[in-house]
Amino acid sequence: MHAVIQRLQDLLGSAGVLFEKEDLAPFLTDWRGIFSGSALAVALPKTTEQVAKVVKLCGELKVKIVPQGGNTGLCGGATPEGDNAQIILSLKRLNQIREMDLENQTITVEAGCILQTVQEKVQASGAFFPLSLAAQGSCTIGGNLATNAGGVNVLRYGNTRDICVGIEAVLANGEIYSQLKGLRKDNTGYDLKNLLIGSEGTLGIITAGVFKIFPAPLGHYAALVAINELPEMIALLQDLQRLAGNELCAFEMMSRESLALTMEHFPQYQRPIFLTGQYTLLIELANFDQDQDQALHRIQDILESTLEGYLENGRILDAAIATSQAQVNEFWGIRHHITLAQAKEPGNIKFDISFAISKIAGFIASTDRLLSEQFPGLQIINFGHLGDGNLHYNFCAPRGAEASYIQEHEERITQIVFAQIQLFGGSISAEHGIGQLKREYLLEHRGSVAYQMMRNIKKALDPENLFNPNKLLLL
Ligand SMILES: Cc1cc2nc3c(=O)[nH]c(=O)nc-3n(C[C@H](O)[C@H](O)[C@H](O)COP(=O)(O)OP(=O)(O)OC[C@H]3O[C@@H](n4cnc5c(N)ncnc54)[C@H](O)[C@@H]3O)c2cc1C
């Protein structure tokens, strides 16, 4: 038995350390099943002080640490590599809600809290926690912070970093950095909170965060819109933003191929509108006005009259407006099942990318064409948060292709997509991060000046490369 296991047991008790092969297994492979590794043990501390002790111990024994929350990340950032010289530090048991301050409109939660638990706790108080994504039943607040998760409400509320007003983390020397005052303004030097957010476990172990909470929407109104042309989608986005301001909460785009695949795997979502146009939009507006009747009419009017105008001019092909909250939820059901449908395919390639909204139509038209010419039949599973300029530009093998198709062509497809991202001035990672998946591309994408700045920061905060080695950056 490695010395670290006995020492961890001394710190955390036997329930706080896993080291048997079958207990380790669920922690060693990522959600997509494309990365796997090995670990000496999984440490499960219950308090920030225990996390600090684990970090000090690992520093002393020179054992590397891979932080892990719900293990739903899509870039292999929480999966150890194969050299069996690391432990996984799971934050799952550090999961208390420390405080809800309704006057300050904030909630302080520990890193291991499941996102959906936080949403429900806030909802029970009559307020609203806006971070929402399909993995919310298993992802954790620490993982959301470490990846700066986006999700479906970014249009109105921003990414995780935009709703976070305080953070607590354990640094590589075992010290605890704590800034949990819940301040909305704090210009006292470098923004250390935002350095830790999105650092993917490479700069510190996040143990807690303070988040803004918001007035709960009094109603949601959603529409599905069948449409062919990307420029028309962007015109519709702009019209709704002009008319509804930030009552427009979501503007999601789903290609016909992505919906066909989802209906195939989840037949309960079959609806003719999904095959009517080249794309289907899912648009959601929310009402925050106390005068329910007036607000209902105003928002319905904006949505209905805008869509009617587009329909009359042939700019959209069809539209369906939800008439109940159950229908709004049903609309979101198919959107959230696209990722799950793709996971059922034998092989897939995923790109989580972003552009200035003005560049998206050009990128899709030219990249779709290039790929269809070079890879006939390739299924382009394109969907995403169009309102944020964020595409999940994914691929599955052509129907009936050999099982090895994706593996054979992944490198060339990646080269083409990344060259196109460069050409259209986009980002190779919009909301999922870098992890192991994209680390080889970061230097070229961000350029040597930015990359060297990141390396300097890493070396200053974690000189022994204790935290999540070889993730995000290659030193
Ligand atoms: C079905 C599905 C849908 C998704 N939809 C979205 C979406 O819409 N938008 C979006 O942004 N993402 C989405 N994701 C990916 C997203 O990044 C994660 O779901 C979530 O944010 C990660 O949380 P987690 O607790 O599972 O983190 P993990 O997967 O456990 O870890 C992710 C990274 O954070 C690090 N980490 C975890 N906890 C800590 C901590 N406490 N301190 C320091 N580092 C830590 C890990 O080392 C790793 O690098 C989706 C994933 C799935 C499976």
Side-chain angles (χ1 to χ4, degrees):
M1 186 191 286
H2 193 284
V4 78
I5 297 173
Q6 183 59 57
R7 299 276 300 272
L8 283 171
Q9 283 179 332
D10 295 344
L11 287 179
L12 307 175
S14 54
V17 190
L18 306 175
F19 59 91
E20 299 291 356
K21 205 172 162 207
E22 58 276 17
D23 294 333
L24 292 181
F27 297 86
L28 299 178
T29 301
D30 76 315
W31 188 87
R32 291 175 64 195
I34 55 173
F35 295 104
S36 58
S38 57
L40 297 164
V42 177
L44 293 140
K46 279 179 117 169
T47 64
T48 300
E49 290 67 32
Q50 285 188 340
V51 174
K53 285 181 182 164
V54 170
V55 169
K56 276 191 185 146
L57 172 68
C58 288
E60 182 196 321
L61 298 180
K62 302 204 181 312
V63 171
K64 310 282 181 189
I65 297 174
V66 180
Q68 192 177 98
N71 199 17
T72 68
L74 298 175
C75 297
T79 310
E81 292 191 299
D83 55 7
N84 207 24
Q86 313 176 1
I87 65 151
I88 291 171
L89 201 166
S90 167
L91 282 301
K92 274 185 176 173
R93 296 203 309 168
L94 185 71
N95 60 3
Q96 298 302 303
I97 292 183
R98 288 195 192 161
E99 189 191 12
M100 177 117 79
D101 182 343
L102 290 176
E103 243 177 289
N104 194 41
Q105 289 283 283
T106 49
I107 184 166
T108 306
V109 294
E110 292 184 340
C113 274
I114 300 289
L115 171 57
Q116 195 169 317
T117 309
V118 180
Q119 292 168 347
E120 287 166 2
K121 178 82 182 169
V122 174
Q123 192 183 11
S125 78
F128 177 63
F129 190 77
L131 184 62
S132 171
L133 43 106
Q136 62 199 27
S138 20
C139 67
T140 62
I141 287 294
N144 301 148
L145 284 165
T147 58
N148 185 28
V152 296
N153 286 322
V154 172
L155 203 54
R156 182 181 159 91
Y157 300 95
N159 295 295
T160 302
R161 76 165 79 252
D162 299 304
I163 59 165
C164 177
V165 289
I167 210 163
E168 178 190 87
V170 174
L171 306 181
N173 61 7
E175 283 180 348
I176 298 169
Y177 166 76
S178 182
Q179 205 52 251
L180 295 176
K181 295 177 191 162
L183 305 179
R184 283 174 166 76
K185 286 190 165 184
D186 185 13
N187 279 351
T188 50
Y190 299 141
D191 191 340
L192 302 174
K193 165 176 71 77
N194 272 323
L195 191 56
L196 288 162
I197 295 175
S199 63
E200 299 185 43
T202 62
L203 298 182
I205 311 292
I206 296 168
T207 48
V210 189
F211 295 90
K212 296 180 207 166
I213 58 178
F214 296 83
L218 299 168
H220 285 105
Y221 308 95
L224 294 171
V225 175
I227 191 162
N228 270 341
E229 303 296 334
L230 272 149
E232 294 296 5
M233 287 188 221
I234 289 160
L236 180 57
L237 169 67
Q238 285 172 341
D239 279 339
L240 287 172
Q241 276 175 323
R242 187 171 45 78
L243 294 165
N246 69 359
E247 283 170 326
L248 179 66
C249 292
F251 196 93
E252 302 280 307
M253 180 203 80
M254 305 170 277
S255 72
R256 190 185 355 222
E257 288 79 0
S258 67
L259 292 167
L261 187 75
T262 310
M263 289 190 282
E264 186 185 320
H265 289 294
F266 300 99
Q268 70 268 32
Y269 290 114
Q270 279 179 8
R271 272 170 166 258
I273 194 170
F274 293 139
L275 300 176
T276 306
Q278 199 45 48
Y279 296 94
T280 302
L281 298 173
L282 169 50
I283 299 169
E284 188 179 80
L285 289 96
N287 158 32
F288 297 89
D289 198 329
Q290 286 302 334
D291 187 340
Q292 281 276 24
D293 284 348
Q294 203 188 335
L296 175 71
H297 284 122
R298 189 171 48 78
I299 288 179
Q300 275 185 339
D301 194 44
I302 290 173
L303 197 55
E304 284 176 15
S305 59
T306 309
L307 295 180
E308 263 168 33
Y310 270 70
L311 210 50
E312 272 166 25
N313 296 329
R315 301 172 76 183
I316 62 174
L317 305 169
D318 196 4
I321 296 186
T323 52
S324 64
Q325 186 60 43
Q327 246 185 342
V328 175
N329 297 345
E330 191 198 317
F331 287 3
W332 278 108
I334 188 150
R335 167 64 185 82
H336 285 323
H337 277 75
I338 300 175
T339 308
L340 304 176
Q342 216 190 336
K344 288 179 181 281
E345 289 290 293
N348 50 66
I349 314 176
K350 288 174 178 251
F351 296 95
D352 158 48
I353 57 185
S354 66
F355 298 91
I357 303 238
S358 48
K359 299 280 171 45
I360 282 192
F363 167 82
I364 294 180
S366 100
T367 315
D368 275 8
R369 192 180 52 247
L370 268 177
L371 290 167
S372 304
E373 279 166 13
Q374 295 194 31
F375 304 96
L378 182 71
Q379 297 182 73
I380 305 179
I381 309 299
N382 183 11
F383 63 101
H385 317 291
L386 188 67
D388 317 325
N390 179 187
L391 299 179
H392 297 307
Y393 194 64
N394 300 342
F395 305 95
C396 293
R399 296 267 163 227
E402 297 285 320
S404 59
Y405 182 95
I406 286 290
Q407 216 181 356
E408 272 169 33
H409 298 293
E410 181 161 8
E411 199 179 328
R412 181 69 194 126
I413 292 172
T414 303
Q415 280 170 356
I416 293 174
V417 174
F418 279 5
Q420 289 287 102
I421 293 171
Q422 202 76 359
L423 190 65
F424 286 88
S427 167
I428 60 168
S429 177
E431 58 175 12
H432 294 165
I434 299 296
Q436 302 186 54
L437 186 68
K438 295 177 185 166
R439 63 188 169 193
E440 276 82 16
Y441 304 100
L442 189 63
L443 170 59
E444 192 186 338
H445 179 69
R446 288 295 300 270
S448 58
V449 175
Y451 199 80
Q452 194 53 46
M453 282 171 77
M454 289 194 248
R455 286 169 89 163
N456 291 344
I457 291 167
K458 169 74 175 169
K459 282 181 187 157
L461 289 182
D462 182 12
E464 301 297 326
N465 198 14
L466 187 65
F467 291 155
N468 226 359
N470 300 327
K471 309 291 172 50
L472 202 161
L473 286 175
L474 293 168
L475 293 182

